[in-house]
Amino acid sequence: MQMLARIHAGDDPAAMAAGAAAARAAGFSDCELMVARPLQSLPRLDVRPISLLLDPDPLVRGADDVLVGIAALLDSATRCGVQCLTLPAGLPAGLADDEPPVSYESAFQSVFRTLDQAKHVAAACSVRIALAVPHARFLLSPLEAADLIDAVNSPHVGLCVVTAAAQRIGSATDWLRIAGGRLFLVDMIETANQDSLIAALRSLRYDGPVVVHCAG
């Protein structure tokens, strides 16, 4: 397994480099970069970026330009040598007065439609898309999440299990087991009993990236 530190990659290259230095000092050689938009370039970092993590809202809302944005992020990932783009998708907790509510059904259809189109871009870029689940009142069953990925039916689209969220609503081990071969990444930030979950991943023969530390 690859143990990753999470770094907030804003518009300040110096802050990004400082986060990478903190990750290296904590003993990490690989990282996940948390981004709000595509990166044009990366400063020299002391750790290797493995994954990009995007802000969630556009995927659920089905914005007209969401596929264009994901394509730009996939291209950014390719240029930065990143293997995986992680896309959280959750129902928004609050809406502005001028925004219509987002129903569960429309959110589900929007996410499926977007992933079904984005899989072709991901394949062309040789980057994998991991849908982060469970997240913000959406895809709260591991079976539902697995069925969604099966419906998309692409080796370039899978799951990132957020174990802290899974623990709040059930068994994180069940989520990992049901994800199975669909599991591209595991987010263990703020998760209790990390050691037992890592042991569970070993028993499942998972050898991919696991985010276990937030470096700033």
Side-chain angles (χ1 to χ4, degrees):
M1 277 179 274
Q2 297 169 284
M3 300 302 178
L4 311 185
R6 177 174 296 156
I7 298 170
H8 290 266
D11 296 324
D12 183 357
M16 196 188 311
R24 172 61 76 175
F28 292 89
S29 57
D30 301 309
C31 74
E32 175 183 69
L33 297 176
M34 190 172 185
V35 300
R37 60 186 63 85
L39 298 173
Q40 299 305 315
S41 62
L42 285 177
R44 186 178 181 281
L45 301 176
D46 291 337
V47 290
R48 180 181 58 158
I50 298 295
S51 171
L52 297 181
L53 170 64
L54 177 67
D55 181 89
D57 278 356
L59 190 62
V60 160
R61 292 186 179 281
D64 292 339
D65 60 349
V66 66
L67 186 62
V68 173
I70 290 175
L73 283 158
L74 288 166
D75 178 68
S76 177
T78 300
R79 286 186 284 104
C80 296
V82 173
Q83 303 168 4
C84 184
L85 172 62
T86 302
L87 300 175
L91 295 179
L95 296 170
D97 291 339
D98 60 347
E99 291 183 285
V102 180
S103 73
Y104 196 101
E105 182 180 16
S106 65
F108 187 92
Q109 292 172 348
S110 174
V111 170
F112 169 75
R113 221 170 21 247
T114 301
L115 292 177
D116 196 49
Q117 296 173 23
K119 67 185 181 184
H120 305 293
V121 185
C125 292
S126 297
V127 175
R128 301 201 296 180
I129 296 173
L131 184 67
V133 292
H135 181 78
R137 302 180 295 126
F138 186 61
L139 294 177
L140 301 181
S141 160
L143 295 173
E144 183 184 29
D147 285 348
L148 173 62
I149 297 305
D150 290 346
V152 175
N153 190 27
S154 169
H156 289 89
V157 180
L159 294 172
C160 165
V161 171
V162 184
T163 53
Q167 285 177 339
R168 287 193 289 271
I169 61 174
S171 166
T173 303
D174 278 348
W175 277 84
L176 297 172
R177 179 180 56 79
I178 292 169
R182 309 171 189 85
L183 191 59
F184 288 179
L185 189 142
V186 180
D187 179 349
M188 286 195 187
I189 298 290
E190 298 181 352
T191 298
N193 304 319
Q194 284 190 1
D195 290 345
S196 65
L197 290 176
I198 289 171
L201 287 171
R202 289 198 176 102
S203 72
L204 295 170
R205 298 185 179 179
Y206 175 77
D207 63 355
V210 182
V211 186
V212 296
H213 176 74
C214 193

Coordinates of all heavy atoms in Angstrom, one line a residue, residues 141-147 150 159 161 171-183 204:
S141 N -25.0 3.8 1.0 CA -25.0 2.4 1.0 C -23.8 1.9 0.1 O -23.7 2.3 -1.0 CB -26.3 1.7 0.5 OG -26.1 0.4 0.1
P142 N -23.0 1.0 0.6 CA -21.9 0.5 -0.2 C -22.4 -0.3 -1.4 O -21.8 -0.3 -2.5 CB -21.1 -0.4 0.7 CG -22.0 -0.8 1.8 CD -22.9 0.4 2.0
L143 N -23.6 -0.9 -1.3 CA -24.1 -1.7 -2.4 C -24.6 -0.7 -3.5 O -24.4 -1.0 -4.7 CB -25.3 -2.5 -1.9 CG -24.9 -3.6 -1.0 CD1 -26.2 -4.3 -0.4 CD2 -24.0 -4.7 -1.6
E144 N -25.2 0.4 -3.1 CA -25.6 1.4 -4.1 C -24.4 2.0 -4.8 O -24.4 2.2 -6.0 CB -26.4 2.5 -3.4 CG -27.0 3.6 -4.3 CD -27.7 4.7 -3.6 OE1 -27.3 5.0 -2.5 OE2 -28.6 5.3 -4.2
A145 N -23.4 2.3 -4.1 CA -22.1 2.9 -4.7 C -21.5 1.9 -5.6 O -21.1 2.2 -6.8 CB -21.1 3.2 -3.6
A146 N -21.5 0.6 -5.2 CA -20.9 -0.4 -6.1 C -21.8 -0.6 -7.4 O -21.2 -0.7 -8.5 CB -20.8 -1.8 -5.4
D147 N -23.1 -0.6 -7.2 CA -24.0 -0.7 -8.4 C -23.8 0.5 -9.4 O -23.8 0.3 -10.6 CB -25.4 -0.7 -8.0 CG -25.8 -2.1 -7.3 OD1 -25.0 -3.0 -7.5 OD2 -26.9 -2.1 -6.7
D150 N -20.6 -0.2 -11.3 CA -20.8 -1.3 -12.2 C -21.6 -0.8 -13.5 O -21.4 -1.2 -14.6 CB -21.6 -2.4 -11.6 CG -20.7 -3.2 -10.6 OD1 -19.5 -3.0 -10.6 OD2 -21.3 -3.9 -9.8
L159 N -14.0 3.6 -6.9 CA -14.4 4.2 -5.7 C -13.2 4.6 -4.8 O -12.2 4.0 -4.8 CB -15.3 3.3 -4.9 CG -16.6 2.9 -5.5 CD1 -17.3 1.8 -4.7 CD2 -17.5 4.1 -5.6
V161 N -13.2 5.0 -0.8 CA -14.0 4.9 0.4 C -13.4 5.9 1.5 O -12.2 5.8 1.8 CB -14.0 3.5 0.9 CG1 -14.6 3.4 2.3 CG2 -14.7 2.6 0.0
S171 N -20.3 0.2 9.0 CA -19.0 -0.5 9.1 C -18.1 -0.1 8.0 O -18.4 -0.4 6.8 CB -19.2 -2.0 9.1 OG -18.0 -2.7 8.9
A172 N -17.0 0.5 8.3 CA -16.0 0.9 7.2 C -15.5 -0.4 6.6 O -15.2 -0.4 5.4 CB -14.9 1.7 7.8
T173 N -15.3 -1.5 7.3 CA -14.8 -2.7 6.8 C -15.8 -3.3 5.7 O -15.4 -3.8 4.7 CB -14.6 -3.8 7.9 OG1 -13.7 -3.2 8.9 CG2 -14.0 -5.0 7.3
D174 N -17.1 -3.1 6.0 CA -18.1 -3.6 5.0 C -17.9 -2.8 3.7 O -18.0 -3.3 2.6 CB -19.5 -3.4 5.5 CG -19.9 -4.6 6.4 OD1 -19.2 -5.6 6.4 OD2 -21.0 -4.4 7.1
W175 N -17.7 -1.4 3.8 CA -17.6 -0.6 2.6 C -16.3 -1.0 1.8 O -16.4 -1.1 0.6 CB -17.4 0.9 3.1 CG -18.7 1.6 3.3 CD1 -19.4 1.6 4.5 CD2 -19.4 2.4 2.4 NE1 -20.6 2.3 4.3 CE2 -20.6 2.8 3.0 CE3 -19.2 2.8 1.1 CZ2 -21.5 3.7 2.4 CZ3 -20.1 3.6 0.4 CH2 -21.3 4.0 1.1
L176 N -15.2 -1.3 2.5 CA -14.0 -1.7 1.8 C -14.2 -3.1 1.1 O -13.8 -3.3 0.0 CB -12.9 -1.8 2.8 CG -12.5 -0.5 3.5 CD1 -11.4 -0.7 4.6 CD2 -11.9 0.5 2.4
R177 N -14.8 -4.0 1.9 CA -15.0 -5.3 1.3 C -16.0 -5.3 0.1 O -15.7 -5.9 -0.9 CB -15.6 -6.3 2.4 CG -15.9 -7.7 1.9 CD -16.5 -8.5 3.0 NE -17.7 -7.9 3.6 CZ -18.9 -8.0 3.1 NH1 -19.0 -8.7 1.9 NH2 -19.9 -7.5 3.6
I178 N -17.1 -4.6 0.2 CA -18.0 -4.5 -0.9 C -17.4 -3.7 -2.1 O -17.7 -4.1 -3.3 CB -19.3 -3.9 -0.5 CG1 -20.0 -4.9 0.5 CG2 -20.2 -3.6 -1.6 CD1 -21.2 -4.3 1.2
A179 N -16.6 -2.7 -1.8 CA -15.9 -2.0 -2.9 C -15.0 -3.0 -3.7 O -15.0 -2.9 -5.0 CB -15.1 -0.8 -2.4
G180 N -14.3 -3.8 -3.0 CA -13.5 -4.9 -3.7 C -12.6 -4.3 -4.8 O -11.9 -3.4 -4.6
G181 N -12.7 -4.9 -6.0 CA -11.9 -4.5 -7.1 C -12.2 -3.1 -7.6 O -11.5 -2.6 -8.5
R182 N -13.3 -2.5 -7.2 CA -13.7 -1.2 -7.6 C -12.9 -0.1 -6.8 O -13.0 1.1 -7.1 CB -15.2 -0.9 -7.4 CG -16.1 -2.0 -8.0 CD -17.5 -1.8 -7.5 NE -18.4 -2.9 -7.9 CZ -18.6 -4.0 -7.2 NH1 -17.9 -4.1 -6.0 NH2 -19.4 -4.9 -7.6
L183 N -12.2 -0.6 -5.8 CA -11.5 0.4 -4.9 C -10.2 0.9 -5.5 O -9.3 0.2 -5.7 CB -11.2 -0.4 -3.5 CG -10.8 0.5 -2.3 CD1 -11.8 1.5 -2.0 CD2 -10.5 -0.4 -1.2
L204 N -7.8 -8.1 2.1 CA -8.5 -8.0 0.8 C -7.5 -7.9 -0.3 O -7.9 -7.7 -1.5 CB -9.3 -6.7 0.8 CG -10.5 -6.7 1.8 CD1 -11.2 -5.3 1.9 CD2 -11.5 -7.8 1.4

